[in-house]
Amino acid sequence: MQRNKQVMKITDSVVLGEEKPVLFAGPCAVESFDICMEIGSKTKAWAEQHGFSYVFKASFDKANRTSSASFRSIGMDKSLAVLQRVGKELQVPLVTDIHESYQAKEVAEVVDVLQIPAFLCRQTDLLLAAAETGKAVKIKRGQFMAPEDMQYAVSKVRAAGNDNVCLTERGFSLGYHNLVVDMRGLPIMRQFAPVVFDITHSVQQPGGQGGSSGGQREFAPILARAAAATGIDGFFIETHPEPSKALSDGPNLIPLHKMGAFLEMLKEAWVLGRKYQDFEVNS
């Protein structure tokens, strides 16, 4: 399946869809400056070592937690201040989620990429608000959406005059508390925009631990290699020095000390995938 050559410019030196894969990685949520710096500095070094462009990721608010008793945020202002400081000290671009249209403008003053959560990928006002900031827009495919239908989310962003948009795969809902990844969706969506594979949320078990989500991180390397072999444009990974103590999504986070080897494996699979990405059997 041939894709349309498209890119998403994040900064002058970080472009999704070119010949270098982009890694979006960091903790699930902004917990503290120290945690973010520890994760960001080590991940940046490993990303550079293994040939990835790097974008630091952390959510300033986990507005979609299973239970209202779960951790959400240290506060919007504090979280954005942490993100801004991390980006400045590490000299890396930033990505974070927005959940409400009114958040787009303020958050765009700090970060380089606005991420649209999967459950909100059809929300026209949210997509337009993100697009109108002029920043790159990263849309997660809803667990309920057919891959080919994501072209309409992309079209909403582009209709607002913003061509810097990409799609992210994170699995389909399969029964209760379970997700499955259909690898056919990656080349299908790549016809419309550059594609990122969300490794850690693809092994999440939404609501699988009662009032919180579970996860099967043991399957993360398998899905990561499979997605890399399709020749996609980038990867999304959440990591933490102590996943069991993380304030959100601990069961599916990659332990920080494993990230170097994980990225080495991922890059090898990606290089092989890129070699054969245009191989066709129908032509």
Side-chain angles (χ1 to χ4, degrees):
M1 180 179 292
Q2 295 290 332
R3 78 178 184 105
N4 298 320
K5 175 65 175 178
Q6 298 172 74
V7 300
M8 183 180 83
K9 184 178 179 181
I10 299 170
T11 67
D12 288 341
S13 59
V14 179
V15 180
L16 184 69
E18 296 286 6
E19 294 308 310
K20 189 175 184 180
V22 177
L23 173 69
F24 302 83
C28 179
V30 175
E31 298 181 7
S32 69
F33 173 73
D34 289 342
I35 287 288
C36 287
M37 278 299 294
E38 179 183 359
I39 294 172
S41 59
K42 291 181 179 179
T43 303
K44 178 187 178 184
W46 286 319
E48 291 176 347
Q49 178 183 350
H50 296 296
F52 292 84
S53 296
Y54 178 52
V55 180
F56 178 81
K57 180 273 166 185
S59 297
F60 72 84
D61 179 25
K62 301 303 296 181
N64 54 357
R65 298 303 303 276
T66 304
S67 169
S68 60
S70 298
F71 170 80
R72 274 190 61 168
S73 174
I74 61 173
M76 182 173 182
D77 291 342
K78 289 182 179 179
S79 293
L80 291 179
V82 168
L83 286 171
Q84 190 169 42
R85 188 177 170 191
V86 169
K88 183 176 180 179
E89 295 203 13
L90 293 181
Q91 291 295 291
V92 295
L94 305 167
V95 59
T96 196
D97 313 81
I98 57 171
H99 295 83
E100 304 280 354
S101 299
Y102 75 85
Q103 297 172 338
K105 185 175 180 180
E106 182 176 356
V107 176
E109 293 176 357
V110 174
V111 307
D112 305 273
V113 183
L114 297 174
Q115 181 167 271
I116 307 299
F119 287 127
L120 302 178
C121 69
R122 287 173 58 106
Q123 297 299 105
T124 300
D125 289 344
L126 184 62
L127 289 165
L128 294 180
E132 288 166 0
T133 66
K135 294 299 179 76
V137 181
K138 180 176 179 290
I139 311 170
K140 288 196 173 185
R141 185 191 60 74
Q143 298 91 326
F144 47 88
M145 292 286 289
E148 58 269 25
D149 290 343
M150 290 305 296
Q151 65 182 296
Y152 304 111
V154 171
S155 295
K156 291 176 183 179
V157 173
R158 290 183 174 149
N162 189 338
D163 290 331
N164 280 325
V165 57
C166 75
L167 294 170
T168 298
E169 172 60 44
R170 50 101 10 108
F172 291 83
S173 292
L174 180 69
Y176 301 126
H177 311 312
N178 197 29
L179 298 171
V180 64
V181 178
D182 180 356
M183 292 296 169
R184 296 175 299 177
L186 299 176
I188 290 172
M189 292 195 298
R190 207 159 172 246
Q191 297 174 96
F192 317 126
V195 168
V196 173
F197 182 60
D198 182 343
I199 295 168
T200 40
H201 286 103
S202 292
V203 297
Q204 187 184 60
Q205 294 175 308
Q209 293 186 343
S212 62
S213 292
Q216 296 176 303
R217 76 166 63 91
E218 65 269 25
F219 293 115
I222 298 167
L223 292 182
R225 291 194 300 268
T230 69
I232 55 171
D233 306 290
F235 303 91
F236 179 102
I237 306 175
E238 290 183 342
T239 181
H240 196 279
E242 296 183 88
S244 63
K245 296 182 180 180
L247 297 182
S248 58
D249 280 8
N252 47 275
L253 302 182
I254 303 301
L256 183 60
H257 72 275
K258 292 282 191 178
M259 279 292 287
F262 198 104
L263 293 181
E264 181 179 11
M265 171 197 70
L266 193 60
K267 184 61 182 297
E268 289 182 8
W270 182 85
V271 168
L272 183 62
R274 274 296 171 107
K275 180 179 179 180
Y276 294 106
Q277 67 174 332
D278 294 324
F279 183 82
E280 287 278 357
V281 293
N282 284 335
S283 56

